[in-house]
Amino acid sequence: MILEDLHTHTSYCDGKDSPEEMIKEAIKKGLCTIGFSGHIFLTYGTSWCMSKDNTERYIAEINALKEKYKNKIKVLCGIETDLYSDEDLSRFDYVIGSVHGFKVGDAYFEIDNSAEVLRNGIDRYFCGDANLAAEHYFCSVVECIKKTDADIIGHFDLITKFRNKDRLFDEAHPRYIDAYQRAVDELIPMNKPFEINMGAISRGYRTTPYPSVPILKYIASKGGKVIMTGDTHAKENLCYSFEKFENLANDCGFDKVCYAEDILSNKHRKK
């Protein structure tokens, strides 16, 4: 059983609970480690991101809680960065690199809002060509990880978030497959684990984790790594469905799952 969750959101951004409430719940559930990963400040998507002032308070509070609970649980102060952030990442214990939207010319194409917004964006910016949108998206994920040198690759196929409601993408289409495979091929040499992310399940959008099984199998075939995360926005969802999907990595061909100590030791080696 995996007893840690490194992808969590609090009331500092779009989560429901305070950091201390999350920590208390993590202790109650028997977790060894909890990592906080608030959404970094962005000029886009400000409704779900931390403000600059909130970021400072977030860092200060979590560092204080590290000390307060050091004899009960390991607490880490991480961040979920995005492609268009220029914030200083050196102050965080680890970084999750994610793409929630990308620029098309001067416009910002948001992929994480709703199925309707996503479909309208595909029609508007890509003349209805969903595969073209997917190609741009996966290229943006590679660009994000290269730019930020993030420690974890966040919800790699987030663009399929609304697949249960609206099948916008034919995930078996050769262009879609080629798009994600080219991205994986570029990311593998960076030695970053891909999330097996439960966030869309706990929030009712999907019934399976990110990324899809075919993508996970391709990552494994290329020698990639994975880490299991909850993408938790409420304390009751810490480690959501980990028990249900704990064998998924092995079934897809991975020898093991990465943990916080792997992330931190790899980060230390880079310095």
Side-chain angles (χ1 to χ4, degrees):
M1 182 65 182
I2 296 170
L3 296 176
E4 61 177 44
D5 197 341
L6 298 189
H7 194 154
T8 69
H9 297 286
T10 70
S11 51
Y12 276 104
C13 53
D14 60 345
K16 186 180 77 173
D17 302 302
S18 71
E20 187 158 24
E21 288 171 325
M22 297 281 280
I23 290 171
K24 288 179 178 179
E25 183 68 17
I27 293 170
K28 182 179 175 181
K29 288 188 172 185
L31 271 63
C32 301
T33 303
I34 181 170
F36 292 98
S37 55
H39 287 292
I40 204 162
F41 171 76
L42 289 172
T43 54
Y44 305 99
T46 52
S47 63
W48 47 269
C49 299
M50 294 190 291
S51 67
K52 285 182 176 286
D53 287 343
N54 257 2
T55 302
E56 298 306 315
R57 289 191 285 269
Y58 165 85
I59 293 171
E61 179 172 355
I62 292 173
N63 284 335
L65 291 170
K66 280 186 189 182
E67 182 64 22
K68 180 176 180 179
Y69 289 96
K70 66 181 180 181
N71 294 324
K72 295 183 178 181
I73 190 171
K74 187 177 184 67
V75 177
L76 298 173
C77 182
I79 195 77
E80 185 175 12
T81 192
D82 235 279
L83 177 56
Y84 301 116
S85 174
D86 293 315
E87 298 297 300
D88 179 12
L89 302 176
S90 65
R91 298 183 294 169
F92 301 100
D93 295 323
Y94 65 95
V95 177
I96 299 172
S98 301
V99 172
H100 297 88
F102 55 90
K103 291 180 182 177
V104 183
D106 292 329
Y108 183 71
F109 177 37
E110 190 174 6
I111 66 166
D112 192 29
N113 185 301
S114 69
E116 292 74 20
V117 168
L118 182 56
R119 179 174 286 281
N120 290 339
I122 291 171
D123 290 341
R124 180 177 181 182
Y125 301 120
F126 299 99
C127 299
D129 188 342
N131 286 315
L132 184 58
E135 288 162 358
H136 279 254
Y137 166 75
F138 285 115
C139 285
S140 296
V141 174
V142 174
E143 185 181 352
C144 176
I145 304 305
K146 284 182 175 179
K147 175 186 173 183
T148 64
D149 195 27
D151 304 292
I152 299 169
I153 300 165
H155 36 56
F156 179 67
D157 60 349
L158 178 67
I159 200 166
T160 63
K161 176 177 178 177
F162 307 106
R163 64 191 299 196
N164 285 16
K165 180 178 181 180
D166 193 342
R167 281 279 179 176
L168 293 166
F169 304 94
D170 177 1
E171 294 172 53
H173 193 286
R175 283 177 61 196
Y176 183 89
I177 294 171
D178 182 64
Y180 79 67
Q181 288 186 348
R182 282 189 283 112
V184 169
D185 291 347
E186 286 197 65
L187 291 167
I188 290 292
M190 301 181 201
N191 198 33
K192 320 282 188 180
F194 293 74
E195 285 185 318
I196 296 179
N197 179 305
M198 306 295 166
I201 305 175
S202 64
R203 301 172 84 185
Y205 294 110
R206 288 174 54 143
T207 56
T208 55
Y210 306 110
S212 66
V213 166
I215 294 177
L216 285 171
K217 287 182 175 179
Y218 186 75
I219 293 168
S221 75
K222 293 294 181 175
K225 302 187 295 186
V226 288
I227 185 169
M228 193 165 282
T229 67
D231 199 349
T232 304
H233 289 71
K235 63 185 181 182
E236 59 267 23
N237 291 334
L238 282 164
C239 298
Y240 190 87
S241 286
F242 280 19
E243 187 172 348
K244 180 178 179 180
F245 291 102
E246 64 182 342
N247 295 321
L248 179 61
N250 183 258
D251 292 343
C252 288
F254 297 95
D255 294 330
K256 67 170 190 173
V257 171
C258 292
Y259 292 88
E261 61 184 28
D262 301 305
I263 302 301
L264 298 178
S265 62
N266 191 51
K267 193 175 186 73
H268 179 73
R269 285 193 297 270
K270 290 191 296 184
K271 290 183 178 180

